[in-house]
DNA sequence: CATCGGGTTCAACGGTCGTTGAACCGTACA
DNA sequence: TGTACGGTTCAACGACCGTTGAACCCGATG
């Protein structure tokens, strides 16, 4: 059976909050992975990111508290999945546009910063 | 004539950066105002937000450095405008979905926090 | 000249963020 | 029983964020 953790009602989440949840390169990568894999084991989500366990746990918490993903436990394993339908209902089109732009070419970091 | 300030090339802006630029209630409000008014005087953008001058200037800087708006000076007045077309080209659909969700009902802050 | 208006800059503050490492927890398996 | 695995929690750290108030800048206007 699925035993849920603490997840906010999406009606309690503001636009600024969910945008903050997305606004990190590691978390964007995790979102992309979950989109591609569907519900999957947590360790798969950050496998190729080089995050420490505690750091990954932190980002999972931010994503969960932003309403972006749902975690559940089945047997001895934890799973994670995007709350895609709920997000679509609360913020129509937002997840889709974030997903479709995650792979946009990263800027050239060797160039000098502005200002 | 239009004299520009320091604005990053949008190719230098990452998805995470622009999302961070949007991820603040005051800045979302400013974005909405600029969308409704088009290019307009800066003071109009934060008129009904209760921001101090220096705080507004700070948020203008964040929005500018995130590539979200362009500032210009004509005569003695400063103007601000969304970089809508450039954003659309770099992150297709993103600005539109943010704009269309800014007015989503704010969550009920009287409810207890999760965790 | 002075002064006003619209913005910027600066230092300072309290709070939060991302990251780390170590300790811990629960389940599974030897 | 022990021990390994997958995660969480905690304290700590340096960095950054949002906000404030005061000082400053500069073009326009008296």
């Amino acid at each position: 059976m699925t035993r849920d953790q603490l997840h906010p009602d999406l009606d309690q989440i503001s636009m600024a909050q969910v945008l903050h949840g997305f606004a990190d390169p590691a978390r964007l990568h995790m979102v992309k992975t979950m989109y591609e894999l569907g519900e999957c084991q947590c360790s798969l989500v950050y496998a190729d990111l080089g995050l420490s366990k505690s750091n990954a746990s932190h980002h999972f918490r931010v994503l969960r508290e932003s309403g972006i993903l749902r975690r559940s436990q089945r047997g001895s394993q934890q799973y994670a999945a995007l709350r895609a339908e709920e997000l679509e209902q609360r913020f129509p089109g937002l997840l889709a546009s974030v997903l479709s732009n995650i792979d946009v070419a990263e800027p050239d970091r060797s160039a000098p910063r502005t200002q």
Side-chain angles (χ1 to χ4, degrees), chain A:
Chain A
M1 282 298 106
T2 298
R3 199 199 71 194
D4 287 82
Q5 287 183 229
L6 294 163
H7 295 85
D9 186 336
L10 277 210
D11 293 338
Q12 300 275 109
I13 301 292
S14 71
M15 180 74 168
Q17 276 176 278
V18 72
L19 286 173
H20 168 77
F22 283 123
D24 180 273
R27 292 198 290 269
L28 284 177
H29 194 117
M30 294 166 74
V31 166
K32 179 190 167 203
T33 302
M34 285 186 288
Y35 174 69
E36 293 169 346
L37 269 51
E39 182 166 44
C40 62
Q41 222 183 316
C42 290
S43 51
L44 291 179
V45 175
Y46 63 97
D48 51 348
L49 272 174
L51 301 180
S52 65
K53 285 194 304 178
S54 55
N55 196 7
S57 187
H58 163 70
H59 286 304
F60 271 121
R61 176 210 270 255
V62 173
L63 288 169
R64 176 170 54 80
E65 294 183 344
S66 305
I68 294 171
L69 64 77
R70 184 175 297 282
R71 307 201 60 187
S72 55
Q73 199 168 61
R74 284 203 298 277
S76 66
Q77 308 202 305
Q78 295 242 27
Y79 288 80
L82 289 177
R83 296 175 68 177
E85 297 79 4
E86 293 166 273
L87 282 168
E88 176 62 21
Q89 187 154 0
R90 171 94 170 119
F91 304 110
L94 179 62
L95 177 61
S97 75
V98 169
L99 281 169
S100 70
N101 284 293
I102 290 180
D103 285 322
V104 170
E106 282 295 304
D108 179 6
R109 295 293 180 209
S110 67
R113 288 277 355 258
T114 296
Q115 192 161 88

